[in-house]
Amino acid sequence: MPRTARIAPNEYVYHILTRGNNRQDVFKDKKDFEKYVEILQRYKEKYQFKLYHYVLMTNHVHLVLETTEKGGKLSEIMKGINLSYAQYYKKRCKHIGHFWQDRYKSIIISKDDYLLACGSYVELNPVRAKIVEDPKGYEWSSYNTYAYGKKDSLVDEHSMYNELSEDASERRKKYREFVKGMLKEKDAMKGEMKRRVVYGSDDFIDKVTTQYKVGAVIKPVGRPRKDGEIN
């Protein structure tokens, strides 16, 4: 996959994906997950970003965060988190060599219904990976905060979630139904974020791609298919 110019203006919502080098595990046990959460909390306080959704998988991490006017830039945030955790892991596990795979991937997300969809995509990762059948059964995720009111100091509930209902109980129920719908109707959002640079309505995509002169998706590498050729 080719490199694309990094677009990371402040005060946007981003879907971040960070993988272990060669898709190797970055979390060996509960202690590692807890350490990453601790580091995430520390840098959240330092750089004053908002964290809307997350999931920590065995060999990769998804974050949906929004940078703020008074906080740090996305590059500062991710450099701090990734470097701090890599140093911890290398020391604990005597790991040598590259830890994270290349640079993190970032997708600009519109702050509307697409943010809810992106959140469900992130929280359904354990389901797509066949680790659990229901996202509520996975511990290292923001799902249970939105769906059941689990206390999690990492999570900032966003306006699109709050607009589901004024009543907290009804809001959680509607969120569960929304994610369940994504699971059934869209196959857990499988492939939804593949190669995207911007995710949102047509108007939002047009605005961002025009302003920053980028494509909405990363084009695949390789020769174009000939007529009649099968993938």
Side-chain angles (χ1 to χ4, degrees):
M1 186 176 289
R3 274 184 175 268
T4 57
R6 173 76 72 198
I7 38 171
N10 259 18
E11 298 178 81
Y12 268 95
V13 178
Y14 295 92
H15 170 214
I16 305 296
L17 169 60
T18 309
R19 291 190 183 278
N21 190 43
N22 294 322
R23 296 178 182 258
Q24 68 189 13
D25 288 352
V26 294
F27 302 111
K28 296 290 187 183
D29 54 31
K30 185 175 182 179
K31 183 177 180 180
D32 290 343
F33 284 105
E34 290 175 339
K35 185 63 178 181
Y36 188 90
V37 167
E38 175 191 314
I39 290 170
L40 193 55
Q41 183 69 64
R42 187 192 333 147
Y43 281 95
K44 186 171 182 285
E45 293 170 1
K46 179 177 181 179
Y47 289 121
Q48 300 178 52
F49 62 88
K50 296 179 180 180
L51 183 64
Y52 295 134
H53 299 270
Y54 73 90
V55 69
L56 312 183
M57 303 294 286
T58 305
N59 65 1
H60 67 280
V61 173
H62 289 267
L63 307 173
V64 180
L65 62 85
E66 182 176 15
T67 53
T68 61
E69 184 180 359
K70 295 181 180 180
K73 295 179 180 179
L74 183 64
S75 58
E76 295 175 313
I77 293 166
M78 294 312 301
K79 180 180 179 181
I81 293 169
N82 285 354
L83 181 59
S84 184
Y85 183 76
Q87 289 174 337
Y88 151 81
Y89 186 94
K90 286 184 174 184
K91 182 177 181 180
R92 184 187 182 209
C93 299
K94 296 181 170 51
H95 177 87
I96 298 173
H98 290 296
F99 183 72
W100 298 110
Q101 180 177 299
D102 198 18
R103 60 180 186 171
Y104 61 89
K105 178 182 178 181
S106 63
I107 306 170
I108 295 179
I109 309 296
S110 59
K111 203 171 180 181
D112 50 24
D113 289 346
Y114 285 89
L115 176 52
L116 275 177
C118 181
S120 71
Y121 170 83
V122 165
E123 293 164 358
L124 284 170
N125 258 261
V127 177
R128 288 196 300 276
K130 301 187 186 306
I131 297 172
V132 293
E133 292 185 358
D134 189 310
K136 72 178 180 181
Y138 193 75
E139 180 179 1
W140 307 103
S141 160
S142 53
Y143 176 77
N144 285 325
T145 297
Y146 287 100
Y148 295 100
K150 174 189 173 184
K151 298 296 183 183
D152 188 338
S153 60
L154 283 177
V155 177
D156 299 290
E157 294 179 356
H158 51 80
S159 59
M160 294 310 301
Y161 170 73
N162 289 324
E163 287 178 12
L164 291 175
S165 176
E166 293 183 358
D167 179 74
S169 179
E170 181 66 15
R171 189 161 59 240
R172 292 164 191 160
K173 179 183 176 182
K174 286 188 174 182
Y175 187 76
R176 293 195 299 271
E177 291 172 347
F178 176 81
V179 176
K180 188 177 180 180
M182 289 295 186
L183 178 59
K184 287 186 174 181
E185 297 169 22
K186 300 197 72 175
D187 193 22
M189 302 279 286
K190 188 175 182 180
E192 189 71 16
M193 297 294 170
K194 191 174 182 181
R195 296 197 301 271
R196 288 187 182 273
V197 177
V198 186
Y199 183 62
S201 66
D202 290 342
D203 287 345
F204 179 79
I205 290 173
D206 184 61
K207 173 190 170 184
V208 174
T209 55
T210 300
Q211 183 174 357
Y212 297 102
K213 296 178 172 56
V214 295
V217 297
I218 301 172
K219 294 180 180 179
V221 180
R223 63 179 177 83
R225 284 189 298 141
K226 297 178 181 178
D227 291 342
E229 188 176 3
I230 299 173
N231 264 332

